[in-house]
């Protein structure tokens, strides 16, 4: 007589099932969506509480300096990690769709740039940290140069990712998202170009890019 063993029923949450795959994708995209708000909330909180920091003259990157600089270093590293996770989620969400190859790669470069910027710190200047001479430093250090190059490359990659996603949203019939994904890069690049004359414009434009990344990531969670 043959004895059969009862097997537990298969559920939609089994590893490898479509619902489990969607849950993983949503989790990764949610992590990516958290990157921008985390960086902005932590940066602005410190900007308003750190002695000698002036939002009209100092970049948030300079919060990595001084005795409490480790906080901003940790923020950079965590933000970068979350953005890379969001890039993986974007790749999963856009698998087989227009932009499904380059959008996640470019977002991944953006996330990696934050990791580099966390390791290589910005130069002091404009009176921060306290005791630093007022005005811009006479010359940029090698470490500050790497930080600046990483930040520049990262935001260029993010702007390119938005343009790629603009095409995706257009094919999906989401005209508002498509249009915004084409306008935001222009604003971000304009603000970056104005950094030398208006630090608030630079900070605001970078913040807009971070928040649009959050918006896009949350929009993609509905797709998978």
């Amino acid at each position: 007589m043959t004895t059969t063993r009862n097997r537990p029923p298969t559920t939609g949450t089994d590893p490898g099932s479509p619902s489990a795959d969607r849950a993983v994708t949503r989790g990764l995209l949610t992590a990516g969506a958290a990157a921008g708000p985390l960086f902005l909330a932590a940066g602005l909180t410190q900007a308003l509480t750190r002695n000698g920091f002036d939002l009209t003259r100092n970049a948030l990157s300079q919060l990595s300096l001084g005795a409490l600089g480790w906080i901003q270093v940790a923020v950079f590293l965590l933000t970068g990690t979350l953005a890379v996770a969001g890039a993986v989620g974007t790749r999963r969400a856009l698998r087989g769709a227009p932009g499904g190859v380059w959008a996640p790669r470019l977002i991944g470069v953006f996330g990696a740039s934050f990791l580099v910027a966390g390791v290589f710190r910005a130069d002091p200047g404009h009176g921060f940290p306290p005791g630093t001479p007022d005005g811009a430093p006479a010359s940029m250090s090698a470490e500050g140069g790497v930080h600046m190059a990483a930040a520049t490359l990262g935001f260029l990659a993010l702007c390119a990712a938005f343009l790629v996603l603009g095409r995706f949203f257009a094919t999906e019939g989401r005209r508002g998202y498509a249009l915004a994904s084409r306008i935001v890069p222009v604003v971000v690049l304009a603000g970056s170009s104005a950094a030398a004359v208006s630090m608030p414009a630079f900070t605001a434009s970078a913040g807009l890019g971070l928040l649009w990344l959050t918006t896009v990531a949350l929009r993609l969670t509905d797709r998978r």
Side-chain angles (χ1 to χ4, degrees):
M1 182 177 180
T2 302
T3 301
T4 59
R5 296 181 180 179
N6 293 327
R7 295 181 180 179
T10 301
T11 66
T13 57
D14 288 338
S17 69
S19 60
D21 181 72
R22 286 193 294 270
V24 171
T25 301
R26 283 195 297 268
L28 290 166
L29 287 169
T30 300
L38 166 71
F39 186 83
L40 292 174
L44 293 176
T45 298
Q46 292 178 84
L48 296 173
T49 56
R50 294 273 305 268
N51 182 40
F53 192 91
D54 185 349
L55 276 169
T56 66
R57 300 189 303 160
N58 299 118
L60 294 181
S61 293
Q62 291 178 293
L63 290 167
S64 296
L65 305 171
L68 296 177
W70 63 270
I71 298 174
Q72 187 63 11
V73 169
V75 171
F76 266 114
L77 297 177
L78 182 53
T79 300
T81 301
L82 291 172
V84 170
V88 177
T90 302
R91 178 177 61 81
R92 293 168 64 97
L94 298 184
R95 190 179 294 128
V101 174
W102 279 104
R105 289 179 180 178
L106 291 164
I107 294 172
V109 171
F110 174 71
S113 75
F114 270 65
L115 298 177
V116 175
V119 175
F120 297 90
R121 306 186 190 198
D123 287 334
H126 297 287
F128 189 85
T132 300
D134 201 6
S139 61
M140 184 177 294
S141 68
E143 182 176 15
V146 173
H147 179 95
M148 179 68 71
T152 300
L153 176 61
F155 274 97
L156 285 174
L158 183 64
C159 289
F162 289 153
L163 293 175
V164 174
L165 287 167
R167 175 170 171 259
F168 162 74
F169 286 125
T171 61
E172 292 273 297
R174 300 189 181 280
R175 295 181 180 178
Y177 280 87
L179 179 61
S181 293
R182 291 160 179 161
I183 293 176
V184 169
V186 176
V187 177
V188 171
L189 293 176
S192 298
S193 300
V197 295
S198 177
M199 186 55 64
F202 169 75
T203 302
S205 64
L208 175 63
L210 288 165
L211 293 178
W212 187 245
L213 177 62
T214 295
T215 303
V216 166
L218 293 177
R219 174 68 264 176
L220 293 179
T221 59
D222 294 336
R223 192 170 188 270
R224 295 288 294 180

